[in-house]
Amino acid sequence: MAGRTALGDFLRKCRAGMTPERAGIPGYIGQTGRRVGGLRREEVAQLAGMSVDYYTRLEQGRHTSPSEPVLDALGRVFQLDATARAHLADLSRPARRRAKQAPVQRVRPAMHQMIASLVDHPAFIVGNRTDILASNTLARALLTDWTRLPPRHRNYTRWVFLDPAARAAFLDWATVAAEVVGTLRLYAGRFPDDPQLSELVGELTIKSPDFRMWWNGHHVHERTNGTKRMTHPAVGPITVRYEALALSGDPDQTLFIYTTDPGSPSHDNLRLLVLWANQQQANATTAGGRPPTETRARSFLDTGGMSDPA
């Protein structure tokens, strides 16, 4: 994860993923006998308007602070989107001195109160390293109860890859998992000297072949909005739409809010989950209480919550 190698690794992956045909190299069509599937270094240098020696030094980590015009040229050659261009810029920053231990991120009390008030919508706040900093009751019911985990384990990426329940929760687990690795790559570019980030990546690389494969792909992804197809053992399938909102005044904290389409089966099942979560809380305070099954939860919903589903 050192910045000296991260820039070179990223450039090599970009070069390998760009075909001569896509790059518009004259005379490519009909060529045979190429030993590389992507672009050659000399082709990248020619398209970017720089010397082969200079580009080679970038890939080999012998030059780590290219200028803005150079970054723009490389972004154009590799056809990078805005997220990937920002990641390239992060990797190209001069080495920065950082504290050995990053300060603990804190969520403002007002934000805790706000997400707690969203009783009909799962909501949670994600910080550096995709750490879960705060979550409301419905988010913990839909995903996992972060409060029951050790503080160092309250991490979204770690949960996605190391908890079997996460694979069961997401019907498109591979897509979700690949995207969250791309998000973690963004953080790695912004905070290359974060020891906890290095520790997390090391653990997941050892324990998860899937994580190792996607991490080595160097793809980046910024979550802004989208759809997730999920299922919950108590209430069934739920398709949610999510919005990722940056918190003003709180750098590197993002608020995620899940919603469902009104009148849809997912909307009904999310209402069921609200009741199920409330009943779980009630059972937690009652000795010998048992969680309601899906059938009892549906009965509870049909009666408007007036009867006891247990």
Side-chain angles (χ1 to χ4, degrees):
M1 290 183 54
R4 180 168 294 278
T5 61
L7 174 61
D9 288 343
F10 185 65
L11 291 176
R12 280 190 291 272
K13 288 295 182 179
C14 290
R15 179 164 62 86
M18 174 57 64
T19 65
E21 186 174 20
R22 283 180 55 206
I25 295 178
Y28 162 71
I29 298 178
Q31 285 188 16
T32 58
R34 289 181 64 94
R35 291 182 299 173
V36 295
L39 297 180
R40 300 186 178 102
R41 284 176 176 170
E42 56 266 28
E43 290 169 336
V44 174
Q46 180 182 7
L47 292 170
M50 64 186 68
S51 70
V52 177
D53 178 68
Y54 180 80
Y55 178 75
T56 299
R57 284 188 285 125
L58 287 176
E59 275 202 7
Q60 293 179 345
R62 291 185 288 134
H63 183 76
T64 57
S65 301
S67 64
E68 289 294 332
V70 169
L71 296 180
D72 289 341
L74 292 174
R76 172 178 50 79
V77 171
F78 294 136
Q79 300 177 18
L80 303 181
D81 60 19
T83 300
R85 284 175 180 253
H87 182 61
L88 176 61
D90 285 335
L91 297 178
S92 304
R93 291 174 182 168
R96 292 152 288 179
R97 290 175 173 253
R98 296 188 182 277
K100 292 183 179 180
Q101 188 71 29
V104 176
Q105 288 188 294
R106 305 289 186 187
V107 174
R108 288 179 286 126
M111 293 306 304
H112 279 289
Q113 295 170 5
M114 191 195 78
I115 64 173
S117 70
L118 299 174
V119 295
D120 295 326
H121 302 288
F124 54 99
I125 296 175
V126 177
N128 293 342
R129 304 175 293 271
T130 67
D131 288 340
I132 301 296
L133 304 180
S135 58
N136 67 4
T137 299
L138 197 52
R140 294 192 294 273
L142 179 63
L143 300 173
T144 192
D145 190 349
W146 313 102
T147 63
R148 294 180 178 272
L149 300 177
R152 295 295 286 269
H153 290 182
R154 297 171 191 173
N155 179 277
Y156 186 81
T157 306
R158 192 181 191 282
W159 173 69
V160 166
F161 280 94
L162 300 187
D163 191 335
R167 288 181 180 261
F170 294 110
L171 300 182
D172 303 304
W173 179 87
T175 298
V176 172
E179 289 180 349
V180 76
V181 173
T183 300
L184 201 65
R185 264 289 176 193
L186 284 181
Y187 285 122
R190 295 170 189 167
F191 307 100
D193 303 317
D194 184 339
Q196 292 184 37
L197 181 60
S198 298
E199 180 182 329
L200 174 65
V201 171
E203 178 187 17
L204 294 178
T205 298
I206 293 171
K207 294 182 178 180
S208 172
D210 289 322
F211 178 88
R212 183 166 59 250
M213 173 186 66
W214 284 313
W215 182 258
N216 290 335
H218 285 263
H219 297 294
V220 291
H221 177 76
E222 185 171 18
R223 292 176 294 173
T224 55
N225 60 78
T227 302
K228 295 183 187 294
R229 298 193 309 132
M230 306 186 66
T231 187
H232 190 278
V235 302
I238 302 176
T239 297
V240 298
R241 301 183 186 277
Y242 74 86
E243 292 288 337
L245 309 174
L247 300 186
S248 177
D250 290 306
D252 307 312
Q253 293 188 20
T254 304
L255 169 64
F256 286 84
I257 300 178
Y258 288 179
T259 61
T260 54
D261 292 334
S264 67
S266 293
H267 183 74
D268 292 339
N269 285 350
L270 190 61
R271 290 177 61 203
L272 280 172
L273 188 61
V274 173
L275 301 175
W276 182 87
N278 291 339
Q279 187 62 37
Q280 288 289 93
Q281 284 190 322
N283 288 340
T285 61
T286 304
R290 53 194 176 96
T293 64
E294 179 176 354
T295 301
R296 289 196 295 271
R298 291 190 180 279
S299 174
F300 192 35
L301 176 64
D302 293 339
T303 60
M306 298 303 293
S307 62
D308 184 357

